Amino acid sequence: MKTEFPIDFVVVWVDMNDPKWKEDFLRCKGIEETNSYNTGMERFRDYGFLKYWFRGVEKFTPWVNKIHFVTCGQRPDWLDNSNPKLHLVDHKDIIPAEFLPTFNSGVIERYIHRIPGLADHFVYFNDDFYIIRPTSPERFFQNGLPCDIAVFQYNPSWSPYYVMLKNNIKIINSKFNKRKILKRDHDKWFTPEYGSKGRMNRFFQWYTKFITLRVHHNAQPYLKESFEEAWEFAKAPLTETSKNRFRDKTDYTHELFRTWQICKGNFIPYNTYKDTKMFPLMVKPKQAVKAIRNQEYSLVCLNDNKHIKNYDKLMSEIQSAFESILPDKSSFEL
């Protein structure tokens, strides 16, 4: 299958068992005041399922142009870096040296547009987002624009992540006029495509300012220009908070760039929830295993948590589910 234009995938990964990474982590953790939310092992531990990410990409999205694998210089010992579709990206290739090492996903994400050779259209993945059934390029891009859901959702401030989302919105409100955008792109915001989730837009349309958007927490299609434009407008705060080596309440997330391109009107309305699902493994472990085995969605997120019970048993069950749909090695494996 060919695409109208090149579409790259970007995926970030870390090996927390790497001695050098551990040394840097403990040293920086001792320097900065952090809490368990920012430095807990669930932020960094690897399920050992990365090979299934590559197998899923090769089997279910063979049309992908290039995979940019972003790490702090790490590489799994099974990964074949001679694969012509694979581009190994070191943090130092994209992030200014004064901000390294960093253990802050938000900092890493805000610099991915600087990846050398990155296509103008790309899809960003965390390493816990998996493709588990055949997926077309049109799932991510149509008419040259990212497919996305523009739906308001009020997020309280009880979670540090929600605080960061609200930081994003402060920048958005300093740039965009909500009333003008909803009028200009009325059919994109008020479309039957969103189903019941779109009802929130009717309620929050009367607010004079933007509030946070619904976060589907899965693979996100982007235009590289969205990053470039947002950086040009908000260079000072994005640069200043790049000093945060761990997540911090002053941070911004990659949702800033997603919201930016939605406010620019650079998206095609698409209800991402109809084929995308996040599974918090602490509360929905059985549902996650079933969804993978039965290929119930195009994309799933397996969300880690330090309170998961019977962790090793659950990981074994998930691996078995992956093996049932992706038993063969990919060309990315030695």
Side-chain angles (χ1 to χ4, degrees), residues 70-116:
V70 183
T71 75
C72 58
Q74 300 172 326
R75 179 176 68 84
D77 55 13
W78 51 262
L79 188 65
D80 184 0
N81 61 1
S82 68
N83 190 301
K85 277 195 173 185
L86 181 65
H87 177 210
L88 301 181
V89 183
D90 194 305
H91 290 175
K92 65 184 180 183
D93 297 333
I94 58 175
I95 303 173
E98 61 264 35
F99 305 134
L100 295 176
T102 186
F103 309 92
N104 186 336
S105 59
V107 170
I108 298 167
E109 290 164 345
R110 72 184 60 167
Y111 287 100
I112 57 177
H113 66 294
R114 297 177 60 175
I115 293 173

Side-chain angles (χ1 to χ4, degrees), residues 86-297:
L86 181 65
H87 177 210
L88 301 181
V89 183
D90 194 305
H91 290 175
K92 65 184 180 183
D93 297 333
I94 58 175
I95 303 173
E98 61 264 35
F99 305 134
L100 295 176
T102 186
F103 309 92
N104 186 336
S105 59
V107 170
I108 298 167
E109 290 164 345
R110 72 184 60 167
Y111 287 100
I112 57 177
H113 66 294
R114 297 177 60 175
I115 293 173
L118 179 66
D120 292 334
H121 300 76
F122 68 92
V123 184
Y124 172 66
F125 291 78
N126 288 161
D127 63 356
D128 58 356
F129 302 163
Y130 301 90
I131 299 173
I132 61 171
R133 71 183 186 195
T135 304
S136 72
E138 288 73 28
R139 166 58 183 82
F140 300 110
F141 292 95
Q142 295 177 25
N143 299 325
L145 296 177
C147 299
D148 213 335
I149 181 170
V151 172
F152 293 123
Q153 180 174 4
Y154 177 76
N155 288 312
S157 299
W158 59 263
S159 165
Y161 185 72
Y162 293 156
V163 171
M164 289 185 274
L165 291 180
K166 291 184 176 182
N167 294 341
N168 296 341
I169 293 299
K170 290 178 182 178
I171 290 179
I172 293 298
N173 279 317
S174 66
K175 169 63 178 179
F176 297 99
N177 182 297
K178 177 172 171 281
R179 289 179 174 174
K180 289 182 178 180
I181 287 171
L182 263 59
K183 181 179 180 179
R184 183 195 69 198
D185 297 326
H186 179 274
D187 292 347
K188 290 189 174 186
W189 286 86
F190 302 99
T191 169
E193 169 68 19
Y194 301 151
S196 61
K197 291 180 172 60
R199 295 173 185 169
M200 297 301 288
N201 285 355
R202 297 291 176 185
F203 180 79
F204 287 114
Q205 68 176 308
W206 307 114
Y207 280 46
T208 57
K209 298 288 188 179
F210 281 101
I211 67 165
T212 50
L213 299 185
R214 179 177 283 273
V215 179
H216 56 84
H217 200 62
N218 217 300
Q220 176 62 43
Y222 277 118
L223 300 176
K224 187 162 64 173
E225 68 182 41
S226 300
F227 281 72
E228 295 168 344
E229 291 174 1
W231 259 100
E232 183 178 359
F233 180 78
K235 182 177 180 179
L238 289 172
T239 301
E240 177 62 26
T241 53
S242 293
K243 299 175 182 177
N244 297 334
R245 297 190 188 275
F246 300 92
R247 283 188 177 188
D248 186 87
K249 64 181 181 180
T250 63
D251 269 328
Y252 303 92
T253 76
H254 75 92
E255 291 290 328
L256 168 64
F257 309 104
R258 173 186 172 235
T259 309
W260 183 282
Q261 69 185 15
I262 286 175
C263 288
K264 290 279 290 187
N266 290 333
F267 74 105
I268 297 294
Y270 186 88
N271 186 356
T272 56
Y273 289 88
K274 62 187 177 186
D275 60 6
T276 297
K277 184 72 172 180
M278 182 185 78
F279 291 96
L281 294 180
M282 183 180 72
V283 295
K284 294 185 176 180
K286 293 182 180 179
Q287 295 93 324
V289 173
K290 176 176 174 291
I292 295 169
R293 191 175 293 277
N294 295 337
Q295 297 176 278
E296 295 175 359
Y297 301 90

